[in-house]
Amino acid sequence: MDSILVTGNGPLNGQIPIAGAKNACLTLMPATLLSEEPLTLTNAPRLSDIKTMTALLQSLGAEVSSLQDGQVLAMSSHDLTSQTADYEIVRKMRASNLVLGPLLARFGQAVVSLPGGCAIGARPMDLHVEGLEALGAEIELKDGYLHANAPGGLKGAVHEMRFASVGATENIVMAATLAKGTTVLKNAAREPEIVDLVECLRKMGAQISGEGTSTIEIQGVDRLHGATHQVVTDRIELGTYMLAPAMCGGEVELLGGRMALVESFAAKLDAAGVQVEETPKGLKVARKNGRVNAVDVVTEPFPGFPTDLQAQMMALMCTAEGTSVLEERIFENRFMHAPELVRMGANIEVHGGTATVTGVERLKGAPVMATDLRASVSLILAGMAAEGETTVSRVYHLDRGYEHVVRKLEGVGAKIERIKGQ
Ligand code: EPZ
């Protein structure tokens, strides 16, 4: 397994291009199952999760061609051969469950393995099931697989979700596009990735309104046609790299970044004393010398502070002036980066869903281990600001969500290299 060696190397300067959003692409790709005509995605990120979703769609019989070095995905699901998403693929990536709604809508049946837990939590699918059952699906759990059927097709309904789940919103909205009648989805998630999905579905002929609010209305249509859609900028990669100058000092411009994607996060950086300004090409982030101020964070569904930036924000708070309280309200076990940061000299106390961080002057490099996608990048950020060398192991987690991370950070002056594993 590869590792990454990073050495504290002072202020950063330059530009980092931000890629298309992993979490938008992972729901846009299954949307191809809704139509027998081709769907082409541009600005797709080059990530292992995208390769996993590609393999899943191909296992169903869809054609997926990765063009222009992976930035264009040309897909067609005209002749599907299976409606079963196998455990071997789903267990590697929970987002595989996003084929459930489209398969059910187009074919009236789907067999999708339950993803099983992952490092950050149990991650059940009850909200997906409840929503699809509201549309008339019959779903039962057998041998670890959800067996879903809608023999007479799905029917529109009014359904209120108990929690604003991102994935459940995506599955239900995709399913409702081909249901008979109108669906009103209440307490829907409002993430930009859902807005991007709806914009793509609309290009395919779907009749949808309310995306980005808590109530999304979908008028079912008989069929959807093909389309070409550009994947929205990745707000989590954007927020992650905004923290690089915040932690190391200097000034970095994040190309493609827009304030609307990271409003609540940028507000926290501003309160911490980090300058964030919108430029014609993106977002410019600067921190003059001196330590940032400690700020408190509570993770919430969009537009609240994103759980996917909690680990990275904790890394910044480790050397802030004062004490910061971070409350993780979305996942039950998303502080695994904390003990690794403590190995670097951080002062963090975790009690249940709350971590209290008392800032220290500077972290010290140490060997640390990545446990999940966002934890791994928070350790790299910490290593960039720390004194001495940090080796982050198990960086396959990184490859799931950050394309060319070494190249992008080297480009603004970080001292970082990837060490090939044995
Ligand atoms: C999406 O996961 C993202 N993944 C996650 O990003 C992100 O952390 C999460 O949304 C929250 O923003 C993709 O978009 C591919 P949820 P998802 O359903 O859809 C519970 C990353 O790092 N829940 O909003 O799985 C669940 O256990 C990943 O890129 C149920 O209880 O998130 C969790 O505690 C990590 N029942 C909470 O809701 C359900 O049926 C939020 O889950 C579904 C979810």
Side-chain angles (χ1 to χ4, degrees), residues 22-24 26 49 94-95 97-98 120-129 162-168 170 189 191 193 235-236 301 307-308 329-332 334 372-374:
K22 165 178 88 80
N23 291 348
L26 288 175
D49 271 10
R94 174 184 171 79
N97 64 17
L98 294 172
I120 61 178
R123 307 190 74 183
M125 282 189 62
D126 50 337
L127 299 171
H128 298 242
V129 170
R162 288 181 288 115
F163 174 81
S165 155
V166 172
E170 291 162 346
E191 274 67 5
E193 293 75 36
R235 63 192 170 97
I236 305 303
T307 174
D308 293 349
R329 287 195 181 162
I330 305 292
F331 289 104
E332 60 266 36
R334 202 168 197 178
D372 64 85
L373 166 58
R374 308 303 175 182

mmCIF file of all heavy atoms in Angstrom, residues 22-24 26 49 94-95 97-98 120-129 162-168 170 189 191 193 235-236 301 307-308 329-332 334 372-374, ligand 1:
data_model
loop_
_atom_site.group_PDB
_atom_site.id
_atom_site.type_symbol
_atom_site.label_atom_id
_atom_site.label_comp_id
_atom_site.label_asym_id
_atom_site.label_seq_id
_atom_site.Cartn_x
_atom_site.Cartn_y
_atom_site.Cartn_z
ATOM 1 N N LYS A 22 -17.071 14.588 -6.995
ATOM 2 C CA LYS A 22 -17.227 13.133 -6.859
ATOM 3 C C LYS A 22 -18.672 12.799 -6.534
ATOM 4 O O LYS A 22 -19.292 11.945 -7.177
ATOM 5 C CB LYS A 22 -16.325 12.618 -5.742
ATOM 6 C CG LYS A 22 -16.650 11.198 -5.267
ATOM 7 C CD LYS A 22 -15.709 10.692 -4.205
ATOM 8 C CE LYS A 22 -16.142 11.054 -2.832
ATOM 9 N NZ LYS A 22 -17.198 10.219 -2.230
ATOM 10 N N ASN A 23 -19.251 13.494 -5.546
ATOM 11 C CA ASN A 23 -20.576 13.117 -5.065
ATOM 12 C C ASN A 23 -21.697 13.564 -5.982
ATOM 13 O O ASN A 23 -22.831 13.122 -5.832
ATOM 14 C CB ASN A 23 -20.781 13.630 -3.628
ATOM 15 C CG ASN A 23 -19.883 12.888 -2.648
ATOM 16 O OD1 ASN A 23 -19.290 11.855 -3.014
ATOM 17 N ND2 ASN A 23 -19.757 13.398 -1.454
ATOM 18 N N ALA A 24 -21.377 14.412 -6.956
ATOM 19 C CA ALA A 24 -22.361 14.690 -8.013
ATOM 20 C C ALA A 24 -22.225 13.601 -9.075
ATOM 21 O O ALA A 24 -23.210 12.988 -9.494
ATOM 22 C CB ALA A 24 -22.113 16.061 -8.626
ATOM 23 N N LEU A 26 -21.236 10.607 -8.846
ATOM 24 C CA LEU A 26 -21.690 9.282 -8.409
ATOM 25 C C LEU A 26 -23.204 9.144 -8.433
ATOM 26 O O LEU A 26 -23.720 8.025 -8.374
ATOM 27 C CB LEU A 26 -21.148 8.978 -7.004
ATOM 28 C CG LEU A 26 -19.646 8.697 -6.957
ATOM 29 C CD1 LEU A 26 -19.186 8.532 -5.511
ATOM 30 C CD2 LEU A 26 -19.284 7.469 -7.770
ATOM 31 N N ASP A 49 -13.354 5.994 -7.099
ATOM 32 C CA ASP A 49 -14.801 5.776 -6.934
ATOM 33 C C ASP A 49 -15.540 5.830 -8.277
ATOM 34 O O ASP A 49 -16.524 5.120 -8.472
ATOM 35 C CB ASP A 49 -15.394 6.827 -5.984
ATOM 36 C CG ASP A 49 -15.350 6.377 -4.523
ATOM 37 O OD1 ASP A 49 -14.685 5.348 -4.248
ATOM 38 O OD2 ASP A 49 -15.979 7.041 -3.683
ATOM 39 N N ARG A 94 -20.524 2.661 -1.014
ATOM 40 C CA ARG A 94 -21.930 2.789 -0.638
ATOM 41 C C ARG A 94 -22.743 3.448 -1.753
ATOM 42 O O ARG A 94 -23.901 3.079 -1.992
ATOM 43 C CB ARG A 94 -22.038 3.623 0.624
ATOM 44 C CG ARG A 94 -23.459 3.941 1.009
ATOM 45 C CD ARG A 94 -23.516 4.848 2.207
ATOM 46 N NE ARG A 94 -24.861 5.315 2.447
ATOM 47 C CZ ARG A 94 -25.821 4.620 3.028
ATOM 48 N NH1 ARG A 94 -25.562 3.400 3.437
ATOM 49 N NH2 ARG A 94 -27.021 5.132 3.208
ATOM 50 N N ALA A 95 -22.153 4.364 -2.474
ATOM 51 C CA ALA A 95 -22.909 5.109 -3.506
ATOM 52 C C ALA A 95 -23.426 4.181 -4.597
ATOM 53 O O ALA A 95 -24.273 4.560 -5.403
ATOM 54 C CB ALA A 95 -22.032 6.188 -4.109
ATOM 55 N N ASN A 97 -25.461 2.149 -4.153
ATOM 56 C CA ASN A 97 -26.904 1.971 -3.894
ATOM 57 C C ASN A 97 -27.748 2.951 -4.705
ATOM 58 O O ASN A 97 -28.971 2.862 -4.726
ATOM 59 C CB ASN A 97 -27.211 2.084 -2.390
ATOM 60 C CG ASN A 97 -26.904 3.465 -1.822
ATOM 61 O OD1 ASN A 97 -26.757 4.445 -2.563
ATOM 62 N ND2 ASN A 97 -26.800 3.541 -0.501
ATOM 63 N N LEU A 98 -27.090 3.876 -5.414
ATOM 64 C CA LEU A 98 -27.851 4.859 -6.206
ATOM 65 C C LEU A 98 -28.335 4.297 -7.536
ATOM 66 O O LEU A 98 -28.960 5.014 -8.325
ATOM 67 C CB LEU A 98 -26.990 6.120 -6.408
ATOM 68 C CG LEU A 98 -26.701 6.885 -5.124
ATOM 69 C CD1 LEU A 98 -25.683 7.996 -5.360
ATOM 70 C CD2 LEU A 98 -27.986 7.466 -4.526
ATOM 71 N N ILE A 120 -17.126 5.122 8.968
ATOM 72 C CA ILE A 120 -17.684 6.295 9.664
ATOM 73 C C ILE A 120 -19.068 6.024 10.245
ATOM 74 O O ILE A 120 -19.638 6.864 10.925
ATOM 75 C CB ILE A 120 -17.727 7.532 8.731
ATOM 76 C CG1 ILE A 120 -18.607 7.301 7.507
ATOM 77 C CG2 ILE A 120 -16.328 7.944 8.331
ATOM 78 C CD1 ILE A 120 -18.698 8.532 6.599
ATOM 79 N N GLY A 121 -19.631 4.837 9.957
ATOM 80 C CA GLY A 121 -20.933 4.595 10.577
ATOM 81 C C GLY A 121 -21.692 3.451 9.934
ATOM 82 O O GLY A 121 -21.267 2.893 8.929
ATOM 83 N N ALA A 122 -22.852 3.132 10.511
ATOM 84 C CA ALA A 122 -23.662 1.978 10.068
ATOM 85 C C ALA A 122 -24.231 2.225 8.673
ATOM 86 O O ALA A 122 -24.299 1.345 7.836
ATOM 87 C CB ALA A 122 -24.794 1.760 11.052
ATOM 88 N N ARG A 123 -24.674 3.449 8.425
ATOM 89 C CA ARG A 123 -25.115 3.886 7.100
ATOM 90 C C ARG A 123 -26.200 2.979 6.524
ATOM 91 O O ARG A 123 -26.041 2.368 5.482
ATOM 92 C CB ARG A 123 -23.916 4.027 6.162
ATOM 93 C CG ARG A 123 -22.855 4.919 6.775
ATOM 94 C CD ARG A 123 -21.771 5.303 5.840
ATOM 95 N NE ARG A 123 -22.227 6.302 4.860
ATOM 96 C CZ ARG A 123 -21.420 6.740 3.881
ATOM 97 N NH1 ARG A 123 -20.212 6.253 3.769
ATOM 98 N NH2 ARG A 123 -21.859 7.631 3.014
ATOM 99 N N PRO A 124 -27.341 2.843 7.231
ATOM 100 C CA PRO A 124 -28.449 2.007 6.749
ATOM 101 C C PRO A 124 -29.108 2.616 5.511
ATOM 102 O O PRO A 124 -28.700 3.687 5.034
ATOM 103 C CB PRO A 124 -29.419 2.007 7.931
ATOM 104 C CG PRO A 124 -29.117 3.250 8.666
ATOM 105 C CD PRO A 124 -27.650 3.522 8.482
ATOM 106 N N MET A 125 -30.138 1.914 5.014
ATOM 107 C CA MET A 125 -30.849 2.431 3.832
ATOM 108 C C MET A 125 -32.336 2.552 4.080
ATOM 109 O O MET A 125 -33.130 2.603 3.129
ATOM 110 C CB MET A 125 -30.581 1.499 2.635
ATOM 111 C CG MET A 125 -29.216 1.723 2.004
ATOM 112 S SD MET A 125 -29.032 0.806 0.466
ATOM 113 C CE MET A 125 -30.323 1.530 -0.546
ATOM 114 N N ASP A 126 -32.733 2.651 5.338
ATOM 115 C CA ASP A 126 -34.169 2.682 5.638
ATOM 116 C C ASP A 126 -34.870 3.878 4.993
ATOM 117 O O ASP A 126 -36.012 3.758 4.512
ATOM 118 C CB ASP A 126 -34.412 2.671 7.145
ATOM 119 C CG ASP A 126 -33.580 3.721 7.882
ATOM 120 O OD1 ASP A 126 -32.544 4.135 7.336
ATOM 121 O OD2 ASP A 126 -33.977 4.130 8.975
ATOM 122 N N LEU A 127 -34.186 5.014 4.889
ATOM 123 C CA LEU A 127 -34.845 6.195 4.307
ATOM 124 C C LEU A 127 -35.053 6.029 2.799
ATOM 125 O O LEU A 127 -36.035 6.497 2.237
ATOM 126 C CB LEU A 127 -34.020 7.451 4.605
ATOM 127 C CG LEU A 127 -33.843 7.766 6.103
ATOM 128 C CD1 LEU A 127 -32.845 8.899 6.309
ATOM 129 C CD2 LEU A 127 -35.180 8.103 6.756
ATOM 130 N N HIS A 128 -34.104 5.305 2.159
ATOM 131 C CA HIS A 128 -34.275 5.011 0.724
ATOM 132 C C HIS A 128 -35.508 4.116 0.543
ATOM 133 O O HIS A 128 -36.366 4.369 -0.304
ATOM 134 C CB HIS A 128 -33.054 4.250 0.173
ATOM 135 C CG HIS A 128 -31.755 4.986 0.248
ATOM 136 N ND1 HIS A 128 -31.016 5.339 -0.859
ATOM 137 C CD2 HIS A 128 -31.027 5.417 1.319
ATOM 138 C CE1 HIS A 128 -29.912 5.964 -0.480
ATOM 139 N NE2 HIS A 128 -29.896 6.025 0.829
ATOM 140 N N VAL A 129 -35.568 3.062 1.374
ATOM 141 C CA VAL A 129 -36.652 2.073 1.245
ATOM 142 C C VAL A 129 -38.009 2.720 1.489
ATOM 143 O O VAL A 129 -38.939 2.557 0.700
ATOM 144 C CB VAL A 129 -36.413 0.890 2.227
ATOM 145 C CG1 VAL A 129 -37.626 -0.021 2.310
ATOM 146 C CG2 VAL A 129 -35.177 0.111 1.797
ATOM 147 N N ARG A 162 -37.790 11.319 7.102
ATOM 148 C CA ARG A 162 -37.549 11.568 8.526
ATOM 149 C C ARG A 162 -36.253 12.362 8.723
ATOM 150 O O ARG A 162 -36.042 13.029 9.732
ATOM 151 C CB ARG A 162 -37.470 10.225 9.278
ATOM 152 C CG ARG A 162 -38.827 9.534 9.422
ATOM 153 C CD ARG A 162 -38.738 8.218 10.191
ATOM 154 N NE ARG A 162 -38.098 7.158 9.409
ATOM 155 C CZ ARG A 162 -36.936 6.597 9.728
ATOM 156 N NH1 ARG A 162 -36.253 7.044 10.773
ATOM 157 N NH2 ARG A 162 -36.418 5.643 8.984
ATOM 158 N N PHE A 163 -35.318 12.208 7.753
ATOM 159 C CA PHE A 163 -34.050 12.944 7.834
ATOM 160 C C PHE A 163 -33.676 13.336 6.407
ATOM 161 O O PHE A 163 -33.953 12.589 5.470
ATOM 162 C CB PHE A 163 -32.953 12.050 8.457
ATOM 163 C CG PHE A 163 -31.588 12.695 8.425
ATOM 164 C CD1 PHE A 163 -31.213 13.628 9.387
ATOM 165 C CD2 PHE A 163 -30.694 12.403 7.397
ATOM 166 C CE1 PHE A 163 -29.970 14.238 9.341
ATOM 167 C CE2 PHE A 163 -29.450 13.019 7.342
ATOM 168 C CZ PHE A 163 -29.086 13.933 8.312
ATOM 169 N N ALA A 164 -33.051 14.461 6.247
ATOM 170 C CA ALA A 164 -32.736 14.957 4.893
ATOM 171 C C ALA A 164 -31.527 14.205 4.333
ATOM 172 O O ALA A 164 -30.439 14.765 4.155
ATOM 173 C CB ALA A 164 -32.459 16.459 4.944
ATOM 174 N N SER A 165 -31.721 12.925 4.052
ATOM 175 C CA SER A 165 -30.645 12.080 3.527
ATOM 176 C C SER A 165 -30.309 12.441 2.081
ATOM 177 O O SER A 165 -31.213 12.518 1.230
ATOM 178 C CB SER A 165 -31.083 10.605 3.573
ATOM 179 O OG SER A 165 -30.387 9.838 2.616
ATOM 180 N N VAL A 166 -29.032 12.631 1.773
ATOM 181 C CA VAL A 166 -28.602 12.968 0.416
ATOM 182 C C VAL A 166 -28.917 11.818 -0.536
ATOM 183 O O VAL A 166 -29.618 11.993 -1.537
ATOM 184 C CB VAL A 166 -27.087 13.284 0.404
ATOM 185 C CG1 VAL A 166 -26.571 13.444 -1.018
ATOM 186 C CG2 VAL A 166 -26.800 14.530 1.232
ATOM 187 N N GLY A 167 -28.440 10.641 -0.218
ATOM 188 C CA GLY A 167 -28.604 9.498 -1.124
ATOM 189 C C GLY A 167 -30.047 9.113 -1.311
ATOM 190 O O GLY A 167 -30.495 8.801 -2.426
ATOM 191 N N ALA A 168 -30.822 9.159 -0.212
ATOM 192 C CA ALA A 168 -32.249 8.791 -0.327
ATOM 193 C C ALA A 168 -32.971 9.810 -1.210
ATOM 194 O O ALA A 168 -33.784 9.434 -2.070
ATOM 195 C CB ALA A 168 -32.884 8.721 1.054
ATOM 196 N N GLU A 170 -31.683 11.449 -3.659
ATOM 197 C CA GLU A 170 -31.272 11.177 -5.045
ATOM 198 C C GLU A 170 -31.991 9.964 -5.615
ATOM 199 O O GLU A 170 -32.515 9.995 -6.734
ATOM 200 C CB GLU A 170 -29.749 11.008 -5.093
ATOM 201 C CG GLU A 170 -29.013 12.311 -4.822
ATOM 202 C CD GLU A 170 -27.556 12.151 -4.428
ATOM 203 O OE1 GLU A 170 -27.117 11.025 -4.097
ATOM 204 O OE2 GLU A 170 -26.845 13.177 -4.440
ATOM 205 N N ALA A 189 -33.015 16.634 0.871
ATOM 206 C CA ALA A 189 -31.689 17.223 1.073
ATOM 207 C C ALA A 189 -31.497 18.345 0.054
ATOM 208 O O ALA A 189 -32.102 18.319 -1.027
ATOM 209 C CB ALA A 189 -30.602 16.161 0.898
ATOM 210 N N GLU A 191 -28.315 19.662 -0.920
ATOM 211 C CA GLU A 191 -26.914 19.756 -1.359
ATOM 212 C C GLU A 191 -26.790 20.189 -2.824
ATOM 213 O O GLU A 191 -27.624 19.802 -3.654
ATOM 214 C CB GLU A 191 -26.222 18.411 -1.137
ATOM 215 C CG GLU A 191 -25.632 18.188 0.246
ATOM 216 C CD GLU A 191 -26.671 18.087 1.374
ATOM 217 O OE1 GLU A 191 -27.879 18.096 1.088
ATOM 218 O OE2 GLU A 191 -26.262 17.976 2.525
ATOM 219 N N GLU A 193 -25.042 18.966 -5.024
ATOM 220 C CA GLU A 193 -24.958 17.776 -5.890
ATOM 221 C C GLU A 193 -26.348 17.341 -6.318
ATOM 222 O O GLU A 193 -26.534 16.780 -7.393
ATOM 223 C CB GLU A 193 -24.227 16.643 -5.159
ATOM 224 C CG GLU A 193 -22.753 16.906 -4.882
ATOM 225 C CD GLU A 193 -22.531 17.907 -3.744
ATOM 226 O OE1 GLU A 193 -23.314 17.894 -2.764
ATOM 227 O OE2 GLU A 193 -21.579 18.708 -3.863
ATOM 228 N N ARG A 235 -17.310 20.869 -4.146
ATOM 229 C CA ARG A 235 -17.212 21.807 -3.027
ATOM 230 C C ARG A 235 -16.387 21.247 -1.870
ATOM 231 O O ARG A 235 -15.856 22.000 -1.046
ATOM 232 C CB ARG A 235 -18.608 22.197 -2.531
ATOM 233 C CG ARG A 235 -19.396 21.040 -1.976
ATOM 234 C CD ARG A 235 -20.861 21.391 -1.768
ATOM 235 N NE ARG A 235 -21.596 20.161 -1.471
ATOM 236 C CZ ARG A 235 -21.888 19.755 -0.234
ATOM 237 N NH1 ARG A 235 -21.577 20.507 0.795
ATOM 238 N NH2 ARG A 235 -22.524 18.622 -0.023
ATOM 239 N N ILE A 236 -16.272 19.914 -1.792
ATOM 240 C CA ILE A 236 -15.496 19.327 -0.690
ATOM 241 C C ILE A 236 -14.004 19.369 -1.019
ATOM 242 O O ILE A 236 -13.172 19.690 -0.166
ATOM 243 C CB ILE A 236 -15.965 17.887 -0.390
ATOM 244 C CG1 ILE A 236 -17.476 17.873 -0.119
ATOM 245 C CG2 ILE A 236 -15.183 17.308 0.795
ATOM 246 C CD1 ILE A 236 -17.954 18.767 1.012
ATOM 247 N N PRO A 301 -26.865 19.084 7.581
ATOM 248 C CA PRO A 301 -27.156 19.008 6.150
ATOM 249 C C PRO A 301 -27.003 20.392 5.512
ATOM 250 O O PRO A 301 -27.099 21.412 6.188
ATOM 251 C CB PRO A 301 -28.622 18.546 6.120
ATOM 252 C CG PRO A 301 -28.837 17.852 7.421
ATOM 253 C CD PRO A 301 -27.982 18.596 8.422
ATOM 254 N N THR A 307 -20.351 17.858 6.831
ATOM 255 C CA THR A 307 -19.644 16.804 7.582
ATOM 256 C C THR A 307 -18.376 16.391 6.845
ATOM 257 O O THR A 307 -17.377 16.024 7.475
ATOM 258 C CB THR A 307 -20.547 15.574 7.791
ATOM 259 O OG1 THR A 307 -19.793 14.532 8.399
ATOM 260 C CG2 THR A 307 -21.139 15.062 6.487
ATOM 261 N N ASP A 308 -18.352 16.487 5.528
ATOM 262 C CA ASP A 308 -17.182 16.056 4.747
ATOM 263 C C ASP A 308 -16.013 17.016 4.876
ATOM 264 O O ASP A 308 -14.939 16.731 4.344
ATOM 265 C CB ASP A 308 -17.545 15.898 3.264
ATOM 266 C CG ASP A 308 -18.500 14.747 3.055
ATOM 267 O OD1 ASP A 308 -18.709 13.968 4.003
ATOM 268 O OD2 ASP A 308 -19.075 14.655 1.952
ATOM 269 N N ARG A 329 -22.806 15.799 13.792
ATOM 270 C CA ARG A 329 -24.214 15.415 13.944
ATOM 271 C C ARG A 329 -24.694 14.502 12.815
ATOM 272 O O ARG A 329 -25.836 14.034 12.856
ATOM 273 C CB ARG A 329 -25.099 16.658 13.951
ATOM 274 C CG ARG A 329 -24.994 17.465 15.238
ATOM 275 C CD ARG A 329 -26.128 18.454 15.345
ATOM 276 N NE ARG A 329 -26.027 19.267 16.562
ATOM 277 C CZ ARG A 329 -26.690 20.420 16.727
ATOM 278 N NH1 ARG A 329 -27.476 20.866 15.751
ATOM 279 N NH2 ARG A 329 -26.548 21.125 17.829
ATOM 280 N N ILE A 330 -23.898 14.272 11.794
ATOM 281 C CA ILE A 330 -24.374 13.489 10.656
ATOM 282 C C ILE A 330 -23.996 12.015 10.780
ATOM 283 O O ILE A 330 -24.820 11.135 10.544
ATOM 284 C CB ILE A 330 -23.818 14.060 9.316
ATOM 285 C CG1 ILE A 330 -24.175 15.538 9.188
ATOM 286 C CG2 ILE A 330 -24.329 13.240 8.143
ATOM 287 C CD1 ILE A 330 -25.645 15.839 9.014
ATOM 288 N N PHE A 331 -22.750 11.726 11.146
ATOM 289 C CA PHE A 331 -22.306 10.329 11.262
ATOM 290 C C PHE A 331 -21.928 10.028 12.708
ATOM 291 O O PHE A 331 -21.474 10.916 13.429
ATOM 292 C CB PHE A 331 -21.114 10.066 10.338
ATOM 293 C CG PHE A 331 -21.490 10.060 8.883
ATOM 294 C CD1 PHE A 331 -21.197 11.129 8.071
ATOM 295 C CD2 PHE A 331 -22.178 8.972 8.334
ATOM 296 C CE1 PHE A 331 -21.569 11.144 6.739
ATOM 297 C CE2 PHE A 331 -22.546 8.977 6.991
ATOM 298 C CZ PHE A 331 -22.245 10.063 6.203
ATOM 299 N N GLU A 332 -22.085 8.748 13.061
ATOM 300 C CA GLU A 332 -21.877 8.394 14.477
ATOM 301 C C GLU A 332 -20.419 8.129 14.825
ATOM 302 O O GLU A 332 -20.071 8.030 15.977
ATOM 303 C CB GLU A 332 -22.741 7.188 14.874
ATOM 304 C CG GLU A 332 -22.500 5.898 14.117
ATOM 305 C CD GLU A 332 -23.432 5.725 12.924
ATOM 306 O OE1 GLU A 332 -23.753 6.759 12.277
ATOM 307 O OE2 GLU A 332 -23.826 4.599 12.634
ATOM 308 N N ARG A 334 -17.163 9.654 13.238
ATOM 309 C CA ARG A 334 -16.359 10.350 12.239
ATOM 310 C C ARG A 334 -15.259 11.199 12.893
ATOM 311 O O ARG A 334 -14.934 12.287 12.439
ATOM 312 C CB ARG A 334 -17.259 11.205 11.337
ATOM 313 C CG ARG A 334 -16.565 11.495 10.016
ATOM 314 C CD ARG A 334 -17.443 12.079 8.960
ATOM 315 N NE ARG A 334 -16.787 11.945 7.659
ATOM 316 C CZ ARG A 334 -17.309 12.335 6.507
ATOM 317 N NH1 ARG A 334 -18.506 12.890 6.482
ATOM 318 N NH2 ARG A 334 -16.653 12.168 5.368
ATOM 319 N N ASP A 372 -10.245 6.940 6.596
ATOM 320 C CA ASP A 372 -11.312 7.128 5.612
ATOM 321 C C ASP A 372 -10.930 8.304 4.723
ATOM 322 O O ASP A 372 -9.947 8.984 4.974
ATOM 323 C CB ASP A 372 -12.683 7.348 6.284
ATOM 324 C CG ASP A 372 -12.725 8.638 7.096
ATOM 325 O OD1 ASP A 372 -13.006 9.703 6.496
ATOM 326 O OD2 ASP A 372 -12.446 8.586 8.292
ATOM 327 N N LEU A 373 -11.697 8.511 3.729
ATOM 328 C CA LEU A 373 -11.343 9.476 2.683
ATOM 329 C C LEU A 373 -11.009 10.859 3.225
ATOM 330 O O LEU A 373 -9.935 11.420 2.984
ATOM 331 C CB LEU A 373 -12.537 9.551 1.717
ATOM 332 C CG LEU A 373 -12.620 10.681 0.727
ATOM 333 C CD1 LEU A 373 -11.407 10.688 -0.155
ATOM 334 C CD2 LEU A 373 -13.887 10.553 -0.081
ATOM 335 N N ARG A 374 -11.864 11.416 4.033
ATOM 336 C CA ARG A 374 -11.655 12.806 4.455
ATOM 337 C C ARG A 374 -10.633 12.877 5.593
ATOM 338 O O ARG A 374 -9.870 13.837 5.685
ATOM 339 C CB ARG A 374 -12.982 13.450 4.869
ATOM 340 C CG ARG A 374 -14.084 13.330 3.839
ATOM 341 C CD ARG A 374 -13.708 13.916 2.486
ATOM 342 N NE ARG A 374 -14.751 13.673 1.484
ATOM 343 C CZ ARG A 374 -14.664 14.047 0.221
ATOM 344 N NH1 ARG A 374 -13.591 14.649 -0.205
ATOM 345 N NH2 ARG A 374 -15.625 13.785 -0.631
HETATM 346 C C1 EPZ B 1 -23.574 11.410 0.979
HETATM 347 O O1 EPZ B 1 -23.631 10.130 1.600
HETATM 348 C C2 EPZ B 1 -22.130 11.606 0.571
HETATM 349 N N1 EPZ B 1 -21.733 10.561 -0.368
HETATM 350 C C3 EPZ B 1 -21.234 11.554 1.812
HETATM 351 O O2 EPZ B 1 -19.904 11.833 1.392
HETATM 352 C C4 EPZ B 1 -21.679 12.655 2.773
HETATM 353 O O3 EPZ B 1 -20.901 12.578 3.942
HETATM 354 C C5 EPZ B 1 -23.158 12.456 3.115
HETATM 355 O O4 EPZ B 1 -23.944 12.452 1.904
HETATM 356 C C6 EPZ B 1 -23.693 13.560 4.015
HETATM 357 O O5 EPZ B 1 -23.526 14.795 3.388
HETATM 358 C C7 EPZ B 1 -22.153 10.649 -1.662
HETATM 359 O O6 EPZ B 1 -22.834 11.584 -2.053
HETATM 360 C C8 EPZ B 1 -21.707 9.565 -2.573
HETATM 361 P P1 EPZ B 1 -26.858 10.508 3.897
HETATM 362 P P2 EPZ B 1 -25.072 9.478 1.960
HETATM 363 O O7 EPZ B 1 -27.817 9.523 3.352
HETATM 364 O O8 EPZ B 1 -26.031 9.796 0.892
HETATM 365 C C9 EPZ B 1 -28.123 8.254 7.862
HETATM 366 C C10 EPZ B 1 -17.604 11.496 1.210
HETATM 367 O O9 EPZ B 1 -16.699 11.616 2.033
HETATM 368 N N2 EPZ B 1 -29.033 7.502 6.980
HETATM 369 O O10 EPZ B 1 -27.180 11.971 3.823
HETATM 370 O O11 EPZ B 1 -24.835 8.069 2.309
HETATM 371 C C11 EPZ B 1 -26.669 7.889 7.618
HETATM 372 O O12 EPZ B 1 -26.329 6.728 8.358
HETATM 373 C C12 EPZ B 1 -18.909 10.815 1.588
HETATM 374 O O13 EPZ B 1 -17.562 11.942 0.029
HETATM 375 C C13 EPZ B 1 -29.980 6.668 7.553
HETATM 376 O O14 EPZ B 1 -30.066 6.545 8.767
HETATM 377 O O15 EPZ B 1 -25.422 10.304 3.270
HETATM 378 C C14 EPZ B 1 -25.936 9.105 8.085
HETATM 379 O O16 EPZ B 1 -25.768 9.029 9.482
HETATM 380 C C15 EPZ B 1 -18.870 10.260 2.999
HETATM 381 N N3 EPZ B 1 -30.798 5.966 6.726
HETATM 382 C C16 EPZ B 1 -26.896 10.250 7.720
HETATM 383 O O17 EPZ B 1 -28.184 9.649 7.543
HETATM 384 C C17 EPZ B 1 -30.727 6.059 5.361
HETATM 385 O O18 EPZ B 1 -31.520 5.407 4.664
HETATM 386 C C18 EPZ B 1 -26.516 10.982 6.445
HETATM 387 O O19 EPZ B 1 -26.550 10.058 5.412
HETATM 388 C C19 EPZ B 1 -29.751 6.914 4.807
HETATM 389 C C20 EPZ B 1 -28.914 7.629 5.624
#
